């Protein structure tokens, strides 16, 4: 029955590896934020949807204008009412025109930009120390980027020029939606990579290194404007996920079928390191650095599973353990970090490689936590509801079963008796295993002795007397009298 339960738990958590790939079948990793598409296919779908929306809006505007003109032409008899409607229409049109002109002027007026920039800085940097720290980091990254592009000579100068132009352009696009700013960043990555490959003939490995540095430079400078912007509901999603994870604090590793034993000190250290890495992700400013934290966390998970099972971990072992780490760590601003990586990371890192694989699994883990139900944990709906509302806990069901009028001493005594019972069981198990080990050692010793006796009996030893050492031929040893006399020289006549 326990095996059946484990299998049902597996079914609740298992995600087929094919589900991690783009649903369009291109072979790259998909992403829930892209509705299951990879970055490339999502951009194609996004462009199609945006062009369709633009066309529909244009058709709607034309239809409304035509209806307005028809209504105006056919209502000459009701001139008073129509003049009132027309005046409202003109007023609305004038306000709209004034707003557009004001917006355009803001883009091209230096004083307005300076004022707007000052307001943004005041809103985003409430603490001078935080602003000073960000400035120091920005200056450091800028110096590192300049030192890096010097090694590329002319292509490096072109890269720096393109980055400065992009940052200036983004400074004028603060009013755009975060999706449109993301689209600009993705187009910039693609254009710079194509420029290095086609115009400057830079090798692929150097292009990848350059793109990493470009991402680090521009996103360090853009971080405070595009991470969790006020125009999105990222903060609302963060609070919802945090609240959800707090409500699931009672979930045990056994419910998730996590193949990790934290009783092993080395495994416990790996779990702590994995939680530290996933929490540290929020302190990074560059998408690639945030991805590196996810990758380090995942590798610690694989090591913990390998030590526990004494064999390499599988994908079915990894995902439940990652879910458990997220539940136990409750990383800050989790959804904001995922959205930030999705929007502004170099797309090649999310589509292939280990970074893309681990990030896709993290997205699946968060989606699983948001939809986690009784069936996923192999629980009855009644127990699941009681655990979620805090009426009881799977770890304290017995102690919570006491009636309210039972005194605290009785509860403590029952807990102590339960603990003693568990210790007694462990002691009996240890004694039993010790006796079994002793018997195994005796059987092993007897077996080895019998094997040695059988071999000696089958191949008996013959001990021969030690032979006497041979003496030198020319020695005066009396024992050599059996040797023939030495040859005498013969003289032959010439």
């Amino acid at each position: 029955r326990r095996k059946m339960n484990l299998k049902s738990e597996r079914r609740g958590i298992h995600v087929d590896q094919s589900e991690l790939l783009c649903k369009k079948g291109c072979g790259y990793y998909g992403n829930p934020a892209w509705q299951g598409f990879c970055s490339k296919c999502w951009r194609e779908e996004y462009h199609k949807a945006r062009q369709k929306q633009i066309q529909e809006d244009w058709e709607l505007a034309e239809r409304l204008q035509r209806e307005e003109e028809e209504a105006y032409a056919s209502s000459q008899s009701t001139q008073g009412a129509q003049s009132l409607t027309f005046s409202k229409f003109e007023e609305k049109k004038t306000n709209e025109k004034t707003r557009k002109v004001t917006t355009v002027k803001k883009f091209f007026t230096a004083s307005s930009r300076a004022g707007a920039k000052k307001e943004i800085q005041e809103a985003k940097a409430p603490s001078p120390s935080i602003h000073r720290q960000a400035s120091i980091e920005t200056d450091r990254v800028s110096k590192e980027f300049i030192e890096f592009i010097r090694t590329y000579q002319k292509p490096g100068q072109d890269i720096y020029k393109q980055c400065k132009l992009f940052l200036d352009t983004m400074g004028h696009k603060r009013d755009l939606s975060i999706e449109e700013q993301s689209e600009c960043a993705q187009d910039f990555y693609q254009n710079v990579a194509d420029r290095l490959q086609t115009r400057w003939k830079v090798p692929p490995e150097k292009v990848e290194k350059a793109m990493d540095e470009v991402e680090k430079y521009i996103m360090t400078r853009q971080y405070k404007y595009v991470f969790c912007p006020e125009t999105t509901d990222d903060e609302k999603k963060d609070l919802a996920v945090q609240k959800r994870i707090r409500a699931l604090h009672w979930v045990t590793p056994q419910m998730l079928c996590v193949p990790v034993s934290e009783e092993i000190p080395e495994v416990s250290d790996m779990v702590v390191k994995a939680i530290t890495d996933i929490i540290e992700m929020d302190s990074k400013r560059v998408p690639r650095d945030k991805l590196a934290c996810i990758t380090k966390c995942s590798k610690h998970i694989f090591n913990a599973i390998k030590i526990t099972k004494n064999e390499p971990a599988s994908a079915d072992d990894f995902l439940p353990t990652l879910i458990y780490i997220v539940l136990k760590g409750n990383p800050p601003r989790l959804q904001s970090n995922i959205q930030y990586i999705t929007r502004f990371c170099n797309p090649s890192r999310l589509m292939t490689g280990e970074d893309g694989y681990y990030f896709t699994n993290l997205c699946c883990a968060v989606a699983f936590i948001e939809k986690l139900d009784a069936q996923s944990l192999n629980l009855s709906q009644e127990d699941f509801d009681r655990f979620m509302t805090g009426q009881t806990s799977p770890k304290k069901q017995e102690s919570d079963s006491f009636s309210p009028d039972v005194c605290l001493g009785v509860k403590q005594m029952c807990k102590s008796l339960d603990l003693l019972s568990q210790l007694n069981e462990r002691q009996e198990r240890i004694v039993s295993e010790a006796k079994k080990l002793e018997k195994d050692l005796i059987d092993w010793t007897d077996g080895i002795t019998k094997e040695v006796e059988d071999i000696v009996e089958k191949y008996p030893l013959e001990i021969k007397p030690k032979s006497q050492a041979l003496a030198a031929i020319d020695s005066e040893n009396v024992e050599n009298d059996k040797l023939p006399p030495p040859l005498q020289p013969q003289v032959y006549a010439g």
Side-chain angles (χ1 to χ4, degrees):
R1 181 176 177 81
R2 180 57 182 165
K3 290 182 179 179
M4 292 176 63
N5 289 340
L6 290 177
K7 288 181 180 179
S8 60
E9 290 175 355
R10 288 282 188 193
R11 281 198 297 271
I13 300 174
H14 173 73
V15 174
D16 197 333
Q17 293 302 294
S18 62
E19 298 178 11
L20 301 179
L21 301 177
C22 175
K23 65 182 183 181
K24 205 170 183 179
C26 63
Y28 295 118
Y29 289 121
N31 193 308
W34 298 324
Q35 298 180 7
F37 294 102
C38 68
S39 175
K40 182 180 178 182
C41 297
W42 167 247
R43 292 182 68 190
E44 294 176 357
E45 296 293 326
Y46 178 76
H47 277 301
K48 291 179 183 178
R50 188 168 63 175
Q51 292 298 328
K52 182 180 179 181
Q53 185 65 39
I54 292 173
Q55 183 65 26
E56 291 178 354
D57 292 345
W58 182 260
E59 293 175 354
L60 178 62
E62 289 183 340
R63 183 170 60 84
L64 291 176
Q65 184 177 4
R66 187 167 57 251
E67 291 177 356
E68 184 73 23
E69 292 174 353
E70 292 174 356
Y72 177 72
S74 62
S75 59
Q76 294 297 329
S77 58
T78 56
Q79 185 65 34
Q82 179 60 35
S83 61
L84 180 61
T85 304
F86 184 74
S87 63
K88 290 183 178 179
F89 174 75
E90 286 294 325
E91 181 183 356
K92 182 178 180 183
K93 186 176 180 180
T94 304
N95 292 339
E96 183 70 17
K97 184 177 179 181
T98 304
R99 186 182 63 82
K100 289 182 178 179
V101 171
T102 306
T103 304
V104 172
K105 285 182 179 179
K106 285 182 180 179
F107 281 125
F108 297 100
T109 305
S111 60
S112 329
R113 287 202 306 269
K117 186 175 181 181
K118 185 177 180 181
E119 290 177 1
I120 292 174
Q121 289 178 348
E122 290 176 355
K124 295 292 183 180
S127 172
S129 61
I130 295 176
H131 177 69
R132 185 163 53 251
Q133 181 180 357
S135 301
I136 293 173
E137 184 176 358
T138 301
D139 293 341
R140 178 181 59 81
V141 171
S142 300
K143 290 179 182 178
E144 291 176 356
F145 182 66
I146 293 173
E147 291 294 327
F148 171 78
I149 61 175
R150 284 178 180 173
T151 61
Y152 280 64
Q153 299 178 352
K154 288 186 178 180
Q157 296 176 4
D158 188 29
I159 292 174
Y160 185 73
K161 181 180 178 182
Q162 296 296 324
C163 289
K164 294 294 290 183
L165 182 61
F166 172 76
L167 291 173
D168 292 341
T169 304
M170 291 297 290
H172 299 302
K173 293 184 176 181
R174 301 284 183 233
D175 292 337
L176 294 180
S177 67
I178 194 65
E179 286 76 16
E180 291 174 316
Q181 295 185 54
S182 170
E183 191 74 12
C184 293
Q186 300 297 329
D187 288 337
F188 173 72
Y189 289 143
Q190 187 65 43
N191 292 335
V192 171
D194 293 343
R195 197 179 184 91
L196 289 173
Q197 291 176 349
T198 57
R199 178 176 179 179
W200 299 106
K201 308 299 181 184
V202 179
E205 60 276 5
K206 294 191 71 176
V207 171
E208 184 178 355
K209 179 65 177 174
M211 293 308 301
D212 288 342
E213 293 298 325
V214 166
E215 178 191 318
K216 181 179 179 181
Y217 174 64
I218 65 172
M219 294 316 303
T220 301
R221 299 177 69 93
Q222 291 291 309
Y223 177 79
K224 61 182 179 180
Y225 303 115
V226 297
F227 182 84
C228 192
E230 296 178 357
T231 56
T232 65
D233 58 350
D234 291 350
E235 185 176 2
K236 182 179 178 181
K237 291 180 179 178
D238 288 335
L239 296 175
V241 171
Q242 280 196 342
K243 184 178 179 181
R244 176 71 171 172
I245 292 177
R246 289 194 193 102
L248 293 169
H249 66 90
W250 48 268
V251 176
T252 63
Q254 291 75 21
M255 292 179 181
L256 295 170
C257 204
V258 175
V260 168
S261 175
E262 295 186 66
E263 295 180 357
I264 304 174
E266 192 174 358
V267 174
S268 179
D269 292 341
M270 291 292 177
V271 171
V272 171
K273 289 179 180 178
I275 294 174
T276 303
D277 289 331
I278 198 70
I279 292 176
E280 188 182 3
M281 174 178 63
D282 186 59
S283 65
K284 305 297 182 181
R285 303 179 72 180
V286 183
R288 181 168 59 92
D289 294 341
K290 291 181 181 293
L291 275 180
C293 292
I294 298 173
T295 300
K296 287 193 296 182
C297 168
S298 302
K299 289 184 176 180
H300 287 314
I301 290 174
F302 273 108
N303 289 333
I305 297 173
K306 183 178 180 181
I307 295 172
T308 302
K309 299 182 65 177
N310 199 21
E311 62 181 17
S314 64
D316 287 343
D317 295 330
F318 170 67
L319 184 57
T321 312
L322 179 60
I323 294 170
Y324 174 67
I325 293 296
V326 173
L327 288 175
K328 194 168 183 178
N330 197 359
R333 300 193 291 185
L334 182 57
Q335 282 287 5
S336 290
N337 282 287
I338 290 177
Q339 291 294 334
Y340 176 69
I341 294 172
T342 301
R343 292 164 181 160
F344 296 101
C345 184
N346 189 348
S348 61
R349 283 193 169 272
L350 299 184
M351 293 163 63
T352 58
E354 63 177 7
D355 288 344
Y357 174 76
Y358 294 139
F359 179 70
T360 304
N361 274 275
L362 177 63
C363 294
C364 290
V366 175
F368 176 85
I369 290 172
E370 292 175 340
K371 299 177 182 178
L372 187 142
D373 55 11
Q375 185 178 4
S376 303
L377 300 175
N378 197 33
L379 295 173
S380 65
Q381 188 63 44
E382 181 182 358
D383 289 341
F384 182 82
D385 293 338
R386 286 193 298 117
F387 295 156
M388 288 295 292
T389 56
Q391 295 178 2
T392 184
S393 170
K395 300 177 182 178
K396 302 179 180 180
Q397 288 187 31
E398 294 185 4
S399 60
D400 290 346
S401 62
F402 291 108
S403 58
D405 56 343
V406 175
C407 67
L408 183 62
V410 174
K411 293 182 180 180
Q412 187 64 39
M413 180 186 67
C414 292
K415 290 181 181 179
S416 301
L417 290 174
D418 182 56
L419 180 60
L420 287 174
S421 176
Q422 295 179 13
L423 292 174
N424 186 36
E425 291 178 1
R426 291 179 59 184
Q427 179 68 19
E428 291 177 354
R429 187 167 61 252
I430 291 173
V431 172
S432 175
E433 294 293 333
K435 290 181 179 179
K436 184 176 179 299
L437 177 61
E438 182 181 7
K439 183 178 181 301
D440 291 342
L441 288 174
I442 294 173
D443 293 343
W444 180 78
T445 305
D446 294 342
I448 295 297
T449 304
K450 188 175 184 308
E451 288 181 6
V452 172
E453 291 176 352
D454 292 342
I455 293 173
V456 171
E457 184 179 354
K458 186 175 181 180
Y459 305 102
L461 297 176
E462 295 182 4
I463 302 176
K464 298 180 179 180
K466 185 178 179 182
S467 59
Q468 297 179 354
L470 296 176
I473 295 177
D474 54 350
S475 66
E476 298 180 355
N477 196 337
V478 295
E479 295 181 358
N480 294 337
D481 53 354
K482 296 181 181 180
L483 294 174
L487 296 176
Q488 297 295 328
Q490 300 293 328
V491 179
Y492 293 94

